[in-house]
Amino acid sequence: MATLEDIGVSAAINLLSALIFLFLFAILRLQPFNDRVYFPKWYLKGLRNSPSRSRALVSRFVNLDCRSYIQFLNWMPQALKMPEPELIDHAGLDSAVYLRIYLMGLKIFVPITILAWVVLVPVNYTNDTLEAEKMATNVTASDIDKLSISNIPLKSQSKSPALQILGSYSDGLCIYFLTCYVLLKEYEKVASMRLQFLYSERRRPDQFTVLVRNVPPDPDESVSELVEHFFLVNHPDHYLTHQVVCNANNLASLVKKNEGLQNWLDYYRFKYSRNRSQRPQTKTGFLGLWGAKVDAIDYYISEIEKLSKEISEEREKVLNDPNCIMPAAFVSFKTRWGAAVCAQTQQSRNPTLWLTEWAPEPRDVYWPNLAIPYVSLSVRRLITGVSFFFLAFFFMIPIAFVQSLASIEGIEKSLPFLKPVIEVEFIKSVVQGFLPGIALKLFLILLPTLLMMMSKFEGLTSLSSLERRSAMRYYIFIIINVFLGSILTGAAFEQLDSFIKQSASEIPKTIGVAIPMKATFFITYIMVDGWAGIAGEVLMLKPLIIYHLKNFFLVKTEKDRKEAMDAGSLGFNTGEPRIQLYFLLGLVYAPVTPILLPFIVMFFGFAYVVYRHQIINVYNQEYESGAAFWPAVHGRVLTALVIAQLLMMGLLSTKQASTSTPFLIALPVLTLWFHVFCNGRYKSAFVKYPLQEAMMKDSLERASSPNFNFKSYLEKAYVHPVFKGDGNDDDYEQYLSENQEADAENVLVPTRRHSQRNSPAESRAASPALSEEVQGVEHRV
């Protein structure tokens, strides 16, 4: 068990690491040859030019201006200068609201920290329960535990039980009301920001488009004709155009493979241009590791030619084979109002057919999953759920094993020859105060990738929904394995000797004392992840190395350079669950071990500054969901609050404070009611688009741009990426013209339908005019 000295050593190591990372970042960001690494967002927006141009040779690589080094920490105030409206315009609402999670953490935990240190810490420290327990039952304890609730005596042994229990109880109530108040205000604020963002946002294709799935088969019409006929009949005044979904997954994989071969060809051509005395050679086996040696340039040229023929054949198959057309389509409307009505209503008597939902924006679409048949999605969800269940619970075994090795006892047992080294005081402090946190962090590195693979297998159709689903599973995993797993395994193993010698009636009491003692482990984890880890985030060592390798070997054009310096998006699926762990630790340990709270406050403050800088200068968000993730953030904080309340009830019961338990039972019930109330009041703003807002936006747009051609704007918005910008647009233009012929005037769209089973009965018998137009439906554009 880590002592106060061990925590001090861990704090020194992590603080020193953070300062080194920050110093290296402050120096590296000033060098001209790193400018594209630390400010790529401005280059991608076309608002920044390379400082290495029009300079002397040395000045292109090294900043020789000594004055700039004096203010090397000015990036921190600069990150805080940009106001929130400007940040939304610069980075999007998703990024701005993501930062509000850190602000919400500060709003909650700064007052709680002050309250806990003023009320609870003095009460806990003035008792001597742990000393008595240590002498009587040999329960291990450290100086840190004396500041926790473990040091409060049982009610029957306390000289002032009412004061001590009232302190913990009142602190729990203050935590509850403060957290709920901040959550309510943030939910209200973010909902208002979302509606304002949607109203003021520029025109986007997803505002006019819905995704239609599970289109029923028809023997007389193709999917494209059936979709057009259905929406012309049922949405005659608002339907504009549509784009059927093609299964182009195989074509996409061939195009990706072709890009990889092209990169190798560019590399060898560049290598040959630098040394023309010898042509580069390569082996034909896997990754060039074995096989016959051949001329590298000629080999990759021939491979690209072969693959280009396969790509052409596959493209023709996708465009002309009916089996490659999926029963789904992106349907666009003339107005936002028409799209909102379609997306938010049932289209057919059969609720399993003609399923509509808001289409993701084009860059948010995850195209491979659109080729998954809708009927298989339920099976995929079941398989994914079962797989995640076993992953979450069986992953606890290796985590407990690694945690046991990352301790003095575990190392001495597994590697006894290291015992003389470990017993050195400094080494012992490092092992107990630093190694457990870093071991857990390293063990969880591959988990986000695995969870994202599970979400993709499940069949979600947008990158934003994939990240939200992965974040949800990551959070559940953290609760089960990182939080509960660490506490339960820690309590069981650290107090194993006490369990054996005590009677059964004393075991719950020992657990109640032991659970707060795990706070020392979480303190070390916070310092590793929340101090050194966040400082490593701003240093961006991995992107720095990758960029310079790509820039040296692969970059030929400005387009290649932009791809090399693009650091990607923020990573909601990994970042948000990590933040939620800090909410969970803070809410659970605030009334239990208040010494943990300053570490959490430091994390939220430091992370807010760092990620604000990264969002402004580095990360280029792949999509914009309009902060659709906020209801999930709200729900997870309340989940942490309920867990904290339940654990508090268990801890107070070990102090023989049963009279306070009925009052604590009300808190989880009130929290659940509060969650229902907030969702009922604000959640609709995140899942529905108000018709009033849509009509206002449409009216404003008609007045400002009365002659805007929506059809040309929308008809190719949801074309599969493999048909864009690959030099083969002519084939796709011909495909569109054959399937979507329309003039600017009213036209009759022919149909081959002989059956009316897919048209509502009331629409078939509504008027004689409709029956006269069975062979052609008026298409107003």
Side-chain angles (χ1 to χ4, degrees), residues 228 711 736-743 747-750 779:
E228 185 175 31
K711 186 174 180 64
L736 284 177
S737 63
E738 292 175 354
N739 289 276
Q740 291 184 316
E741 295 180 356
D743 299 323
V747 296
L748 295 179
V749 179
H779 184 187

Side-chain angles (χ1 to χ4, degrees), residues 148-192:
S148 72
I149 198 174
S150 299
N151 206 30
I152 293 180
L154 301 180
K155 183 177 180 182
S156 59
Q157 300 172 352
S158 175
K159 299 178 181 178
S160 55
L163 177 63
Q164 293 165 341
I165 298 301
L166 180 62
S168 299
Y169 183 66
S170 60
D171 194 58
L173 287 177
C174 292
I175 292 171
Y176 168 74
F177 286 114
L178 176 63
T179 304
C180 289
Y181 176 79
V182 173
L183 283 173
L184 179 65
K185 290 300 180 182
E186 287 298 314
Y187 214 154
E188 180 182 6
K189 176 65 176 178
V190 174
S192 175

Side-chain angles (χ1 to χ4, degrees), residues 414-434:
S414 303
L415 305 170
F417 60 89
L418 292 178
K419 185 175 181 179
V421 178
I422 295 175
E423 290 301 325
V424 176
E425 195 64 30
F426 176 76
I427 300 297
K428 185 177 181 180
S429 297
V430 171
V431 171
Q432 294 193 133
F434 181 74

Side-chain angles (χ1 to χ4, degrees), residues 14 434 437-438 441 474 522-537 578-579 581-582 603 606-607 611:
N14 286 286
F434 181 74
I438 196 69
K441 187 169 177 61
Y474 197 3
F522 288 118
I523 290 175
T524 63
Y525 180 80
I526 291 172
M527 288 187 289
V528 171
D529 181 71
W531 294 6
I534 296 298
E537 160 68 29
R578 183 172 70 169
I579 304 173
L581 175 61
Y582 289 92
F603 160 77
F606 184 37
Y611 277 100

Side-chain angles (χ1 to χ4, degrees), residues 29-276:
R29 66 186 286 271
L30 296 175
Q31 311 312 313
F33 69 99
N34 290 330
D35 202 60
R36 291 179 180 269
V37 178
Y38 292 110
F39 302 95
K41 192 165 192 170
W42 298 98
Y43 283 94
L44 295 174
K45 286 178 171 287
L47 301 176
R48 190 180 181 97
N49 295 320
S50 176
S52 61
R53 295 179 181 177
S54 67
R55 285 192 179 189
L57 180 62
V58 178
S59 298
R60 293 182 180 180
F61 300 96
V62 181
N63 188 348
L64 300 178
D65 185 5
C66 298
R67 292 173 298 178
S68 62
Y69 292 94
I70 299 176
Q71 300 178 343
F72 66 95
L73 289 178
N74 65 348
W75 65 271
M76 290 186 177
Q78 287 178 358
L80 300 174
K81 281 184 179 179
M82 183 179 287
E84 190 172 64
E86 186 179 344
L87 180 65
I88 293 174
D89 184 62
H90 173 70
L93 185 65
D94 280 343
S95 299
V97 172
Y98 182 84
L99 288 174
R100 291 194 71 89
I101 305 177
Y102 293 104
L103 279 180
M104 184 171 67
L106 290 173
K107 291 177 182 179
I108 292 175
F109 289 111
V110 169
I112 289 177
T113 301
I114 296 173
L115 175 66
W117 277 78
V118 169
V119 177
L120 291 183
V121 171
V123 173
N124 295 340
Y125 188 73
T126 54
N127 286 281
D128 56 357
T129 302
L130 289 178
E131 290 295 331
E133 289 285 338
K134 184 176 181 180
M135 295 177 62
T137 62
N138 197 29
V139 172
T140 58
S142 66
D143 294 334
I144 295 177
D145 299 318
K146 294 178 182 179
L147 302 177
S148 72
I149 198 174
S150 299
N151 206 30
I152 293 180
L154 301 180
K155 183 177 180 182
S156 59
Q157 300 172 352
S158 175
K159 299 178 181 178
S160 55
L163 177 63
Q164 293 165 341
I165 298 301
L166 180 62
S168 299
Y169 183 66
S170 60
D171 194 58
L173 287 177
C174 292
I175 292 171
Y176 168 74
F177 286 114
L178 176 63
T179 304
C180 289
Y181 176 79
V182 173
L183 283 173
L184 179 65
K185 290 300 180 182
E186 287 298 314
Y187 214 154
E188 180 182 6
K189 176 65 176 178
V190 174
S192 175
M193 291 172 62
R194 174 179 167 85
L195 292 176
Q196 179 62 30
F197 177 78
L198 295 177
Y199 180 76
S200 61
E201 191 181 25
R202 296 186 298 271
R203 183 188 300 115
R204 289 194 333 192
D206 56 294
Q207 298 170 351
F208 302 87
T209 307
V210 300
L211 173 60
V212 183
R213 307 190 74 181
N214 213 24
V215 176
D218 190 284
D220 302 320
E221 294 182 327
S222 65
V223 173
S224 179
E225 294 168 336
L226 182 60
V227 169
E228 185 175 31
H229 177 265
F230 180 87
F231 284 95
L232 282 172
V233 170
N234 297 286
H235 298 266
D237 297 326
H238 300 282
Y239 168 76
L240 180 62
T241 185
H242 72 276
Q243 176 59 57
V244 294
V245 174
C246 303
N247 184 358
N249 290 350
N250 190 35
L251 176 61
S253 64
L254 292 175
V255 171
K256 185 176 181 180
K257 182 179 178 181
N258 186 68
E259 292 175 353
L261 294 176
Q262 188 65 48
N263 286 337
W264 279 110
L265 178 61
D266 292 342
Y267 165 72
Y268 283 115
R269 280 176 170 170
F270 178 70
K271 184 178 180 180
Y272 180 60
S273 67
R274 300 184 67 181
N275 181 18
R276 292 189 172 274

